[in-house]
Amino acid sequence: MISLSKIVIVGAVGGGATVAGQIRFYDKNAEITIFDRDSTMSYAACGTPYAIGNVIEDPSSLLMTDPQQFKKERNINVFLKHEVLEIQRDNKQLLVKDLNTGKQFTESYDTLILAPGGSAMVPEIEGLDSAKVFVLRSYDDMQKISKFIDVNNPASCVISGAGFIGLEMAENLKALGLKVQLVHKSGQVMSILDSDISQLIEAELQANEVQLFKETVITKADSASVELSNGMRLQADFIIMSIGIKPNTELAEKAGLPIGETGGIMTNEFMQTIDPSIFALGDASENTDMVTGDPKRVPLAWPAHRQAFLIAQYLTGNAIPKKGLLGTSVVKIFSLTVAMTGLNERTIKNKGISYKTVIHRGNSNAGYYPDHAKITLKVHYDSASRKILGAQCIGGKGVDKRIDVLVTAIYAGLTIDDLQALELSYAPPYSSPKDPINMAGYKAFSK
């Protein structure tokens, strides 16, 4: 346990606000201060596409708390519109700028926690300054997009990037009646998936009249259109850039904290940097892969919240080492849900791992029950140890619970054969006597 007399946190969204709250839960006396350059804190960033699409009717419901409430309920000081410019490690001080007044001041710390998140990448494109271009990384970004749509009543949009945000925005903008055109540099959408699973997503996009342009990028833009590297010109009343996230590591780099091969701040098993008084978590931190032990960075909500708990436990005298990340994720794409965990086929091959794959195509629940859907479950496993390496599932319902079972199986070290023996809940509205998870185990066993 290290001194908790004064803790300063950089970043007030998911990871930063959560680690502050966790520390306060376990320690009632520590002085805790948070700085963030944004104007809002602790909002549900994952809900912003659905607020833009009016699925979430009240966008303010995404705001979990504010500085006044945090101070009143938890005695934690939060300063928004304040940017930390420099970490002075030798004397344990920060140089902070008040973005409202422009004034700079120093703030001391005993323990520093970095939760700076990441920033949306925007490439240099000819004419982009004359176009209406948006990113979606903050509550303010969401408000800007919604206001533009409400005021200008646009007819068309080009989305650059077919990852999580790009696909969620495609669905929600289509629901608003816009012509949606999705431009993607890769040869498949959601490049983290196996190609056969991605093809099912592409078919769903086509069925919902989202135009998809693969293996191309935007090369020119103006106020009404974009030109692609394949020579095509698309109408675009506005553009959503969702080509990727760059971790905000500049502050750590300036302070001499090592950056790992994934681009995140290097941390040990307790989320500690090389400086024992400085920790890092969330989108900007580098972790390890649970399956391979290799460096891994997962810019998603679950890892940030877990890391916040681990840091709070370490600081309050109950050190729990992290066990690596699987990169478990799920996304809704019109009528489909797609989820994954662990290694995809491309990564397994690149690592030179000897593996086998089992695929089960069936129903989410009893086929005679009126509310059922088709699902495809794909599981990769080690040929020798038969340990599960990774899995993907896509379909109309029940996808998330199958992946969640497989996450548990990987964490527990189960083999593909153990899936036969899992006594999973069954009733016709929910599953079948032999669940798709069981079926994957039986199919692998018969091989």
Side-chain angles (χ1 to χ4, degrees):
M1 181 173 178
I2 62 179
S3 173
L4 292 188
S5 55
K6 187 170 185 181
I7 299 170
V8 178
I9 301 167
V10 180
V13 189
T18 301
V19 74
Q22 288 279 311
I23 294 169
R24 175 59 74 229
F25 183 82
Y26 294 104
D27 187 284
K28 306 303 181 186
N29 300 314
E31 180 184 347
I32 307 173
T33 299
I34 308 177
F35 295 108
D36 197 298
R37 58 189 178 190
D38 279 348
S39 58
T40 52
M41 66 170 293
S42 192
Y43 58 89
C46 299
T48 53
Y50 302 99
I52 293 170
N54 292 331
V55 176
I56 298 171
E57 296 180 356
D58 179 11
S60 66
S61 66
L62 301 181
L63 299 171
M64 301 294 103
T65 188
D66 57 40
Q68 293 74 30
Q69 185 178 355
F70 226 49
K71 176 64 175 178
K72 180 180 179 181
E73 295 180 357
R74 308 191 187 209
N75 192 26
I76 296 172
N77 301 305
V78 181
F79 297 92
L80 300 178
K81 302 294 287 183
H82 280 68
E83 182 175 9
V84 177
L85 302 176
E86 185 179 301
I87 303 170
Q88 300 167 358
R89 289 169 52 195
D90 290 343
N91 56 3
K92 288 192 170 185
Q93 284 190 336
L94 304 176
L95 179 62
V96 185
K97 182 178 181 179
D98 183 336
L99 298 179
N100 293 306
T101 65
K103 292 183 178 179
Q104 297 184 12
F105 60 92
T106 58
E107 183 81 12
S108 64
Y109 67 86
D110 293 308
T111 299
L112 176 63
I113 302 172
L114 302 178
S119 299
M121 297 168 60
V122 179
E124 292 186 8
I125 296 173
E126 182 181 342
L128 200 63
D129 291 344
S130 64
K132 296 294 183 181
V133 183
F134 300 94
V135 297
L136 185 56
R137 280 296 295 169
S138 69
Y139 191 84
D140 288 345
D141 292 337
M142 177 200 73
Q143 289 182 308
K144 290 175 184 176
I145 295 171
S146 293
K147 182 178 180 180
F148 176 83
I149 293 172
D150 291 343
V151 172
N152 296 278
N153 193 28
S156 63
C157 174
V158 167
I159 301 172
S160 181
F164 291 100
I165 296 296
L167 291 172
E168 289 173 342
M169 285 302 300
E171 176 181 352
N172 282 282
L173 292 176
K174 193 67 185 177
L176 296 178
L178 276 74
K179 178 182 180 181
V180 178
Q181 301 149 111
L182 192 56
V183 177
H184 193 53
K185 184 177 181 179
S186 173
Q188 67 174 72
V189 302
M190 281 196 75
S191 304
I192 61 173
L193 296 172
D194 294 344
S195 60
D196 54 341
I197 304 297
S198 291
Q199 287 169 11
L200 298 175
I201 297 175
E202 292 173 16
E204 181 73 2
L205 294 172
Q206 184 178 13
N208 286 276
E209 300 181 334
V210 173
Q211 294 182 303
L212 176 62
F213 303 90
K214 297 186 295 182
E215 298 183 311
T216 189
V217 296
I218 299 172
T219 55
K220 293 182 182 180
D222 56 40
S223 60
S225 65
V226 300
E227 187 175 314
L228 306 183
S229 56
N230 64 9
M232 295 187 68
R233 182 173 289 275
L234 306 178
Q235 177 188 352
D237 293 331
F238 68 104
I239 302 167
I240 302 286
M241 280 290 175
S242 59
I243 63 172
I245 302 300
K246 182 183 183 300
N248 294 328
T249 59
E250 297 84 357
L251 188 63
E253 290 181 64
K254 284 169 57 178
L257 301 177
I259 306 301
E261 62 183 71
T262 67
I265 304 166
M266 291 180 66
T267 60
N268 66 10
E269 66 270 36
F270 305 112
M271 305 309 300
Q272 210 168 17
T273 68
I274 60 159
D275 186 323
S277 63
I278 302 179
F279 297 74
L281 77 157
D283 295 2
S285 68
E286 181 173 272
N287 297 264
T288 55
D289 188 288
M290 185 180 292
V291 177
T292 67
D294 295 331
K296 190 181 188 77
R297 189 173 62 85
V298 182
L300 296 172
W302 187 94
H305 283 255
R306 177 61 180 170
Q307 292 156 8
F309 173 78
L310 295 179
I311 292 174
Q313 289 298 300
Y314 183 87
L315 292 177
T316 55
N318 183 32
I320 302 173
K322 64 186 178 186
K323 294 188 178 181
L325 297 173
L326 291 171
T328 306
S329 56
V330 63
V331 62
K332 179 183 180 298
I333 306 160
F334 295 99
S335 68
L336 291 181
T337 298
V338 59
M340 71 164 293
T341 191
L343 306 182
N344 59 27
E345 197 160 17
R346 181 177 60 257
T347 302
I348 293 171
K349 289 179 178 178
N350 290 341
K351 297 293 180 183
I353 300 171
S354 177
Y355 75 102
K356 293 181 180 179
T357 300
V358 61
I359 299 176
H360 174 69
R361 297 180 178 90
N363 294 325
S364 58
N365 51 295
Y368 57 80
Y369 191 82
D371 180 23
H372 72 274
K374 298 293 183 183
I375 67 170
T376 297
L377 176 62
K378 185 176 185 181
V379 185
H380 303 300
Y381 58 97
D382 187 286
S383 301
S385 69
R386 300 184 71 80
K387 292 289 183 68
I388 301 166
L389 300 172
Q392 299 173 27
C393 191
I394 187 168
K397 61 178 287 192
V399 165
D400 53 337
K401 74 173 183 177
R402 270 73 190 207
I403 288 297
D404 287 345
V405 170
L406 289 167
V407 169
T408 307
I410 295 173
Y411 189 89
L414 302 185
T415 68
I416 187 71
D417 305 302
D418 290 324
L419 299 184
Q420 309 165 43
L422 297 181
E423 187 179 348
L424 302 175
S425 59
Y426 160 65
Y430 304 106
S431 184
S432 300
K434 289 194 289 290
D435 188 86
I437 292 288
N438 300 135
M439 289 302 300
Y442 283 121
K443 286 186 173 183
F445 184 78
S446 67
K447 288 186 176 183

